[in-house]
Amino acid sequence: NDQNDLYVWDRGRVLCDENGRAVRMVGIMESVTELKRLEDQFRQAQKMEAVGRLAGGIAHDFNNLLTTILGYSHLILETIEPDDPRRLDVEEIRKAGKRAAALTQQLLAFSRKQVIEPKVLEVNAVVANLDKMLRRLIGEDIQFQTELGSAGHIKADLGQLEQVIMNIAVNARDAMPRGGRLTIRTGSAVFDEAFIRQHVGARIGQYASIVVSDTGCGMDKVTKLRIFEPFFTTKDPSKGTGLGMAMVYGIVKQSEGYIWVDSEPGKGTSISVYFPRVQEEGLPLDPADAALALPGGSEIVLLVEDEDAVLSLVRGLLRSRGYTVLEASNAAEAVRISNDFIGPIHVLLTDVVMPEVSGRELADQLRQTRPDMRLIYMSGYTEDTVVHHGVRMSDAGFLQKPFTPDLLLRKMREMLDRPQDGMVM
Ligand code: ADP
Ligand code: MG
């Protein structure tokens, strides 16, 4: 077993021979690896919460002190003669006070006490707008690219969202002193039942994602664990404050989002932030509508299925996601449609076991005239059984019934987006 797995002895007993000597122990070992991981995540979240409260308290008191310092230095500057040599000293006090105020501002953001103005924002527009500034910030030794996907809208404070992106990008820059590549990708994600079971505190729903990846030095385990801690920095004190990621964390949490760090020493870093998506008018997207976020397409599908209920379900799903669906309830009908249809049929989605002509025979026949057509089998039998019946799986997709809409739509895209044999790019 995996060295890192943890087990507890659940229940068991000792088996004895006729003489009462213990010969063997039988029982159940239960894996608690998963439990341990969730517990660790939870502890980490609690710690951040506590540190956040502390930071918020300090920042609040500091703001009062700084108001006094800045106020009085201002008053002195007003009353002092322009050529008084002490003027420069007071200027220095005021500058330091302002720097300190900027730091407390960051601390407050971390502890979520900053006054913010959430608005509906289009994620891609925000990222595109930052492009120029980011390029300047990052410098010319680093290749910078953005890939804008279907991230949609979120409700957040514009300044804060920009801070999040800039802080992460600046860290990426610092991690690549000798140049490299920085990529910002936007897109969307669905957190479903399975996902939230794996991730403490995550809630079901649709999220916009912003992923910032660099090819820099990466992080060891300890750094990764402490990255969000205020004042944690591995940089020279003149360069790092250790507040950047703490602030990012605070903002993301305030927006009910998530942040994820993937990094290994020498292998670069990828920071993913997720914000709950909203409709353009600002209403939250119904988590039950998560299917809306499933991938669609505009290709033409020939659907062959002898079970009426399955046929109409699959047809409805595919049409709702933009596909054009030609349908047949048996092989003969499918052949007729294929012969009559002028233009490409991009994919054949067929049941395997059908009366008279099987899905495999149908596929063989249609592919003589449509060699480029992609192929997906559906069956209530397992893939093994189907392969046993002479189906060649190497270039076909397989959906085991019953399948979820999610699986069907993803399989469609997987097969349609796959490069053709012999032209791997
Ligand atoms: P600072 O940048 O002031 O050090 P941050 O809170 O922004 O503070 O980051 C904390 C620490 O996390 C950094 O000092 C660095 O060690 C690590 N870190 C953050 N982002 C990256 C990255 N992209 N690559 C490597 N290390 C990183
Ligand atoms: Mg930083």
Side-chain angles (χ1 to χ4, degrees):
N1 262 319
D2 194 320
Q3 286 277 307
N4 294 322
D5 276 7
L6 287 175
Y7 291 91
V8 286
W9 181 246
D10 186 4
R11 63 200 95 106
R13 63 197 174 97
V14 178
L15 295 185
C16 303
D17 63 13
E18 310 92 70
N19 306 321
R21 263 190 327 182
V23 287
R24 203 187 289 163
M25 253 161 67
V26 293
I28 299 166
M29 300 283 279
E30 195 185 1
S31 166
V32 288
T33 315
E34 185 60 16
L35 204 65
K36 172 90 173 47
R37 198 176 61 80
L38 291 177
E39 213 179 83
D40 285 348
Q41 274 187 21
F42 181 65
R43 241 201 311 275
Q44 179 71 5
Q46 264 189 334
K47 188 168 105 190
M48 295 306 296
E49 195 63 46
V51 176
R53 259 201 302 277
L54 179 67
I58 294 176
H60 182 261
D61 290 350
F62 253 83
N63 263 346
N64 287 335
L65 297 171
L66 288 168
T67 308
T68 316
I69 293 172
L70 285 170
Y72 279 111
S73 40
H74 186 82
L75 282 181
I76 296 173
L77 282 172
E78 287 213 318
T79 52
I80 214 166
E81 294 298 323
D83 53 357
D84 193 313
R86 287 171 304 175
R87 199 180 170 89
L88 284 177
D89 300 346
V90 183
E91 289 277 18
E92 284 305 317
I93 294 174
R94 198 165 69 138
K95 260 194 249 159
K98 280 197 162 155
R99 270 207 302 276
L103 283 180
T104 27
Q105 220 32 44
Q106 288 183 308
L107 266 179
L108 279 174
F110 168 71
S111 66
R112 304 171 221 175
K113 292 210 174 92
Q114 205 183 35
V115 180
I116 55 159
E117 204 185 339
K119 285 205 189 87
V120 176
L121 304 171
E122 199 196 334
V123 174
N124 284 348
V126 176
V127 174
N129 248 326
L130 277 179
D131 197 284
K132 227 196 226 131
M133 167 129 66
L134 284 171
R135 266 173 219 283
R136 252 214 324 266
L137 212 64
I138 286 156
E140 279 165 4
D141 294 341
I142 292 168
Q143 276 182 48
F144 173 55
Q145 66 194 58
T146 50
E147 291 171 17
L148 303 181
S150 54
H153 298 81
I154 65 171
K155 197 163 183 177
D157 179 84
L158 174 63
Q160 286 200 332
L161 180 59
E162 290 177 339
Q163 290 271 12
V164 166
I165 299 168
M166 306 248 295
N167 269 295
I168 299 175
V170 166
N171 282 341
R173 177 200 66 190
D174 292 348
M176 300 185 284
R178 266 170 246 96
R181 202 168 53 249
L182 174 68
T183 312
I184 301 184
R185 241 179 243 111
T186 64
S188 55
V190 176
F191 293 178
D192 57 12
E193 292 279 356
F195 184 88
I196 62 164
R197 241 179 281 126
Q198 300 279 321
H199 298 82
V200 171
R203 268 188 303 274
I204 287 186
Q206 298 184 43
Y207 293 81
S209 62
I210 303 171
V211 182
V212 182
S213 310
D214 66 60
T215 56
C217 59
M219 279 173 261
D220 56 24
K221 271 207 177 104
V222 179
T223 306
K224 220 162 81 175
L225 261 177
R226 301 190 60 188
I227 184 171
F228 300 125
E229 243 173 67
F231 304 113
F232 172 77
T233 179
T234 57
K235 295 170 194 171
D236 188 88
S238 67
K239 289 194 80 184
T241 59
L243 284 175
M245 290 307 286
M247 181 171 64
V248 166
Y249 182 87
I251 293 173
V252 170
K253 283 296 146 194
Q254 191 172 42
S255 314
E256 305 201 358
Y258 301 95
I259 182 159
W260 198 252
V261 182
D262 283 306
S263 185
E264 258 174 71
K267 294 203 173 143
T269 299
S270 202
I271 310 257
S272 315
V273 288
Y274 299 92
F275 292 99
R277 279 179 69 168
V278 295
Q279 289 166 345
E280 226 178 312
E281 311 82 52
L283 299 168
L285 289 175
D286 185 352
D289 282 350
L292 289 175
L294 295 175
S298 54
E299 285 92 345
I300 298 165
V301 186
L302 177 52
L303 170 64
V304 191
E305 166 65 64
D306 61 337
E307 188 69 49
D308 262 354
V310 179
L311 182 75
S312 67
L313 171 78
V314 173
R315 177 188 56 213
L317 252 166
L318 291 176
R319 287 205 175 134
S320 76
R321 301 309 300 148
Y323 293 101
T324 300
V325 181
L326 312 169
E327 55 181 274
S329 55
N330 59 56
E333 209 181 322
V335 171
R336 206 160 44 239
I337 290 172
S338 170
N339 288 340
D340 293 349
F341 190 78
I342 304 164
I345 294 178
H346 299 96
V347 57
L348 171 67
L349 177 60
T350 180
D351 196 7
V352 177
V353 182
M354 294 184 292
E356 288 156 39
V357 181
S358 78
R360 179 185 63 89
E361 288 162 322
L362 172 66
D364 286 348
Q365 192 179 342
L366 293 188
R367 276 188 152 182
Q368 284 173 12
T369 50
R370 299 180 179 274
D372 291 339
M373 187 175 63
R374 308 295 164 97
L375 178 56
I376 301 173
Y377 291 114
M378 319 176 264
S379 182
Y381 299 96
T382 65
E383 187 164 349
D384 281 352
T385 316
V386 169
V387 169
H388 192 71
H389 282 93
V391 169
R392 216 163 49 89
M393 277 302 166
S394 59
D395 65 340
F398 182 77
L399 283 165
Q400 163 106 56
K401 289 179 192 168
F403 47 80
T404 59
D406 180 82
L407 257 176
L408 167 69
L409 294 169
R410 287 183 202 289
K411 183 59 84 179
M412 285 295 282
R413 281 292 11 128
E414 181 195 323
M415 294 311 292
L416 285 165
D417 295 338
R418 188 192 261 195
Q420 282 285 30
D421 284 354
M423 47 169 271
V424 177
M425 289 175 283

